Amino acid sequence: MPPSPIPATTVVLAEHPSDDLDALAPLWGELLDHHVTSAPHLGDLGEVRSTEESWQIRRAEYRAWLDEPHAKVLTAAEGSRLLGYAFVRITPTAGSWKLGDRVGTLETLVVAAEARGRGLGRRLLQAAADHFQAHGATTARISVIDGNDAHGFYTRHGAVAFTNTLLLPLPIPTAALPAPRSTTETDIGGEDWRLVERVTVPKGTAVNEDELLHTDAGLVAVIDGATDKSGRNYGGLTGGARAAQYVRDTLARMAPDTAPAEAVKLITAALAELRSQWDIPADDPVAPSAVAAVFAPSLRAVWRVGDVHVALRRGAKWTVLPAAKRIDDVLAGTRAAYTHCMIADGRSDEEIAAQDPGRGVILPVLKQQGRLANRPGPFGYGLFDGTPVPADFVEVIPVEGDVTEIVMASDGFLSPAATLARAEAELQEAIAQDPLRIGVNPGTKGVKPGAVSFDDRTYVRVRRSSGPTRVKSEPASGRLLERLQERAELALHEGSFGRADALYGHVLSSLEESGAAGTLPYLAVLHDHALVCYGQGRWADGEARLREVVRGREQLVGLTAAETVGAIARLAEAVGEQGRWEEAETLAREAVERAETELPATHKEALAARLALAWVLQRTKAHAAEAVLRGVCEDLGRVLGGGHRITLASRHLLVRLLREQERYDEALDVVRDLAAARDKTLGPEHPHTLRAQADLAVLLYRCGQPEEAAGLARRTLEASALITALLGTDQHHDQQIRAAVAEITTSG
């Protein structure tokens, strides 16, 4: 006996609110299941998307259509129970038949399985027809998937066949794509730079998730969209390709002299809008994302977020800053090990290439690693994904006057080689020797059948057409050079890092031009200049300077000299701040061991080495961190005094450790003393003093004193903005302070 119709009095037909689309998800899932059951032959065309993924795509379409004037969702509900819905639109007509100026489009009509056969489909169809007629449509367009029994339902209500939509599967071409070819040289504006070589090549027939940007204003950028592991469709593009486009378009709209910090904020806002548009949850680890390296001639700098290769040429020497991402190195090793196990078990290279079982092993981590993006820690890394990018993950690389060429390349190339031909030859040789990528250059994926490489690849090389532009000045001599160095030291002490950078740069240039490069006085200045780089958040620059200092001091004063030990301890910090924590711990332990060999336990540099080790242990959340840190804090206070900058640094580290362990009351006591001591010894305008005040505000807030916390946060932000403008701290500390008090300012 057929089910009886549902009485009209018990079912309400209504327009569904546009801000509650997720209520339709269960019905959409039923419709998808019905389509899969009705049309099994379509499985030959490709795998069916998951219900959740399919709904996210459809939901985004619904949201876009609802911006149209006459689109709406009509629902049938019994009480609070949703039994069916129809999504309707009005669109212009076109084609050879005169169907009126408008046509109604029925995008979806679905009735819950429990309510089918009881007249609800007919009533929803009639409601849709009434809507179409009310807005001037004389016909309605309905698409029915092949095999769906709904075809009979619509023909019984007067629908006639109009067009048949066919899908023709296309074979995947196996021929290799042509080798990348560069274009001719092109002026890019600003300081007489020219584009020498540029190319972007997809890994196969799929969409290219890399972007290459060159603006009339002179910006040049390599953008690498993250390989999309979600399988979602973002308007015909993968998440990585869509994110790369957003980064490209945002950069293209920027002024050429936009500061890196501001540029990062604008790009982050654009990616946040992309999240909102597609309703991606804030904690979704596979959201669309990208990394980028940008050359801004007007800023005389390259800046980057994430793993993009960069190289700078000075004379015949290249400084190479390769793409680095520790989590990828770990996963690549895991994939390689598992793949070797499969080979030992008798699996053929062809079978492995087609299925890549090693990638299947690491895929769960690949899908979750987005949770590490823009977070400190041993596996943290910088990424544009719509969440704030910490200043530590924004690397600014100065382009001094002696830089003659710059290369930027996505990690589809193995390195930022000096020429495109060399980069391509290096890549092709590696692929030929190890297409599975489980040998010398292990990766998180190999070369798939039909592809020409393991990843999309983009390369750009620019050259200064007129040669080095730095004007040599007469080297400062005698008392003048001493005064410049004294002023540089004073600027460093005051936290005026911009002025200190310029002064130390002039002192170093004078020493180089006078033939003093490599001497102990020169290395001392270079050491202090590295500390200036730290103050500006330029960790890679600081690392490069300190490595030169360490090498020079080892040769001149020995491996265990106090000056050498101190430089190694500070080098550990620069390496750690770039996320290379194992290397940082190795350096810190080496500094401690060298100090124990030659120096008294109470020597300042021996204490600094112990503090560097405590810092690494704290940042990596090692068990021994608190014991090591408290021991060195006590010794520093006893030996150097409570007001010494190293003692204060140790207490700042203790505050961070206690706060991370949510021991807020203990941390509050320490940070009160720290803020007062820094105010007394460094002055109220010093960035370190302001950072301590910001930490104090946060702890007041977490200890239940919101009003006092909000007032202190406001005063600290105002002072930080003013001091940043006056002292030229390159926004680094100001960004840290704003990030620190964000939970207070956003909650109030």
Side-chain angles (χ1 to χ4, degrees):
M1 180 176 178
S4 58
I6 298 176
T9 55
T10 66
V11 174
V12 176
L13 296 182
E15 180 178 352
H16 191 70
S18 60
D19 59 354
D20 189 26
L21 291 178
D22 283 329
L24 308 177
L27 287 169
W28 174 260
E30 287 195 34
L31 181 61
L32 177 64
D33 291 341
H34 182 64
H35 284 165
V36 172
T37 303
S38 303
H41 61 287
L42 297 182
D44 296 336
L45 295 175
E47 184 181 353
V48 178
R49 297 184 190 276
S50 68
T51 302
E52 179 184 359
E53 182 186 341
S54 174
W55 168 244
Q56 290 298 329
I57 294 171
R58 193 57 162 178
R59 186 181 192 277
E61 291 175 327
Y62 284 168
R63 284 197 60 179
W65 289 333
L66 285 170
D67 289 335
E68 299 171 2
H70 304 303
K72 65 171 57 178
V73 183
L74 302 171
T75 58
E78 187 173 34
S80 60
R81 191 164 52 116
L82 198 61
L83 299 177
Y85 76 89
F87 193 103
V88 294
R89 312 164 57 205
I90 305 288
T91 57
T93 58
S96 303
W97 279 262
K98 295 180 179 180
L99 302 176
D101 295 331
R102 295 179 173 184
V103 64
T105 300
L106 181 62
E107 295 290 355
T108 307
L109 192 152
V110 56
V111 174
E114 63 182 287
R116 288 177 195 155
R118 300 186 176 185
L120 281 187
R122 174 183 54 77
R123 291 167 63 182
L124 281 169
L125 181 61
Q126 185 58 55
D130 292 343
H131 175 74
F132 295 150
Q133 288 178 314
H135 293 91
T138 56
T139 54
R141 181 168 52 220
I142 306 166
S143 295
V144 181
I145 199 165
D146 185 52
N148 189 353
D149 54 12
H151 186 276
F153 166 77
Y154 291 117
T155 56
R156 286 196 301 273
H157 288 83
V160 297
F162 184 57
T163 63
N164 290 322
T165 301
L166 304 177
L167 292 180
L168 175 64
L170 301 175
I172 299 175
T174 57
L177 295 177
R181 298 174 59 188
S182 180
T183 57
T184 56
E185 293 192 17
T186 307
D187 286 328
I188 65 172
E191 296 207 11
D192 220 12
W193 290 90
R194 295 177 66 82
L195 273 172
V196 180
E197 295 183 296
R198 65 184 186 273
V199 73
T200 183
V201 183
K203 59 180 173 284
T205 57
V207 64
N208 190 347
E209 292 184 319
D210 281 5
E211 288 283 351
L212 176 59
L213 173 69
H214 159 224
T215 71
D216 293 339
L219 282 183
V220 180
V222 168
I223 305 153
D224 184 357
T227 301
D228 195 320
K229 293 110 184 150
S230 71
R232 299 177 189 137
N233 183 302
Y234 294 88
L237 294 177
T238 64
R242 183 64 70 190
Q245 282 192 358
Y246 269 60
V247 175
R248 179 201 64 192
D249 294 346
T250 305
L251 285 168
R253 293 191 294 267
M254 288 183 191
D257 58 350
T258 302
E262 181 61 24
V264 169
K265 288 181 182 177
L266 292 172
I267 294 171
T268 297
L271 269 293
E273 176 60 29
L274 175 60
R275 277 179 176 262
S276 175
Q277 179 182 346
W278 291 87
D279 297 297
I280 302 168
D283 61 348
D284 190 328
V286 287
S289 57
V291 295
V294 181
F295 172 45
S298 58
L299 297 177
R300 301 183 184 182
V302 173
W303 61 267
R304 68 177 174 181
V305 171
D307 50 337
V308 180
H309 300 297
V310 176
L312 287 76
R313 182 177 182 176
R314 298 176 175 86
K317 181 180 178 182
W318 282 89
T319 300
V320 177
L321 305 169
K325 189 176 172 188
R326 188 183 174 202
I327 183 68
D328 282 355
D329 294 339
V330 172
L331 294 178
T334 302
R335 173 181 169 272
Y338 186 83
T339 304
H340 279 289
C341 291
M342 295 298 97
I343 293 173
D345 192 42
R347 302 278 284 273
S348 67
D349 287 358
E350 293 75 15
E351 185 180 1
I352 290 173
Q355 299 177 359
D356 202 346
R359 186 167 176 84
V361 170
I362 65 172
L363 189 59
V365 183
L366 289 171
K367 289 184 175 181
Q368 292 296 321
Q369 73 174 31
R371 302 189 189 282
L372 302 173
N374 299 325
R375 292 179 178 272
F379 295 104
Y381 58 93
L383 188 71
F384 291 119
D385 65 352
T387 64
V389 181
D392 291 352
F393 289 127
V394 182
E395 185 178 358
V396 181
I397 306 159
V399 177
E400 295 95 345
D402 57 351
V403 173
T404 56
E405 289 189 60
I406 301 168
V407 168
M408 299 183 294
S410 66
D411 64 354
F413 284 105
L414 300 183
S415 73
T419 65
L420 173 59
R422 189 178 302 176
E424 188 66 23
E426 178 183 65
L427 175 66
Q428 295 305 328
E429 181 181 357
I431 290 175
Q433 293 178 352
D434 182 22
L436 297 178
R437 299 189 73 216
I438 58 172
V440 178
N441 294 297
T444 59
K445 53 190 172 184
V447 181
K448 291 183 177 181
V452 295
S453 186
F454 57 86
D455 201 359
D456 308 320
R457 60 195 190 275
T458 299
Y459 178 101
V460 63
R461 177 162 66 103
V462 299
R463 175 188 296 151
R464 198 192 300 269
S465 59
S466 59
T469 61
R470 179 162 58 177
V471 178
K472 289 191 175 183
S473 58
E474 288 298 319
S477 58
R479 180 58 183 158
L480 175 58
L481 188 58
E482 291 178 8
R483 290 175 60 188
L484 287 174
Q485 190 167 345
E486 290 170 358
R487 290 183 178 182
E489 291 169 353
L490 179 61
L492 173 59
H493 177 77
E494 292 176 343
S496 180
F497 300 116
R499 188 164 72 247
D501 188 24
L503 289 167
Y504 275 121
H506 192 87
V507 172
L508 288 169
S509 296
S510 295
L511 289 172
E512 290 168 356
E513 292 166 3
S514 65
T519 63
L520 285 176
Y522 174 87
L523 295 175
V525 176
L526 193 62
H527 175 278
D528 289 347
H529 197 197
L531 300 184
V532 173
C533 294
Y534 286 14
Q536 295 175 314
R538 295 161 46 201
W539 303 108
D541 292 343
E543 177 188 355
R545 285 160 175 75
L546 278 174
R547 288 195 182 278
E548 184 177 346
V549 171
V550 170
R551 287 193 298 269
R553 286 179 174 174
E554 285 178 338
Q555 294 174 357
L556 295 174
V557 296
L559 299 177
T560 58
E563 299 94 325
T564 307
V565 170
I568 295 172
R570 291 168 183 84
L571 177 60
E573 182 180 1
V575 170
E577 288 288 1
Q578 296 175 76
R580 290 148 43 206
W581 292 105
E582 287 184 357
E583 184 182 354
E585 183 173 345
T586 299
L587 286 166
R589 291 191 182 279
E590 182 179 353
V592 170
E593 291 170 2
R594 292 193 190 190
E596 290 174 347
T597 301
E598 192 75 24
L599 302 178
T602 56
H603 194 286
K604 182 182 72 173
E605 298 299 357
L607 293 169
R610 288 172 55 197
L611 181 61
L613 178 58
W615 175 77
V616 173
L617 295 176
Q618 183 270 327
R619 290 294 294 271
T620 56
K621 295 180 172 53
H623 249 330
E626 183 170 355
V628 175
L629 178 56
R630 286 194 179 276
V632 75
C633 279
E634 181 179 345
D635 290 344
L636 282 166
R638 178 172 50 82
V639 175
L640 300 180
H644 194 280
R645 64 175 182 83
I646 301 180
T647 305
L648 297 177
S650 71
R651 296 189 68 76
H652 173 79
L653 190 58
L654 181 59
V655 170
R656 176 183 286 186
L657 183 145
L658 294 172
R659 201 170 98 181
E660 287 177 351
Q661 296 179 359
E662 299 184 5
R663 293 154 63 184
Y664 299 136
D665 290 332
E666 291 181 63
L668 182 59
D669 291 337
V670 178
V671 81
R672 282 189 191 276
D673 293 339
L674 174 63
R678 280 186 165 170
D679 183 89
K680 180 179 179 180
T681 58
L682 301 177
E685 74 284 357
H686 197 287
H688 293 172
T689 303
L690 296 173
R691 179 59 193 273
Q693 288 181 190
D695 290 343
L696 175 56
V698 171
L699 286 164
L700 286 169
Y701 182 80
R702 295 188 182 180
C703 288
Q705 303 176 53
E707 293 184 1
E708 184 179 357
L712 180 57
R714 184 184 64 256
R715 294 192 299 274
T716 302
L717 287 173
E718 292 171 353
S720 178
L722 177 61
I723 298 306
T724 295
L726 293 176
L727 298 185
T729 59
D730 288 356
Q731 306 295 325
H732 173 61
H733 286 281
D734 187 59
Q735 291 167 10
Q736 289 186 323
I737 289 166
R738 291 182 183 279
V741 301
E743 67 179 284
I744 303 173
T745 55
T746 56
S747 65

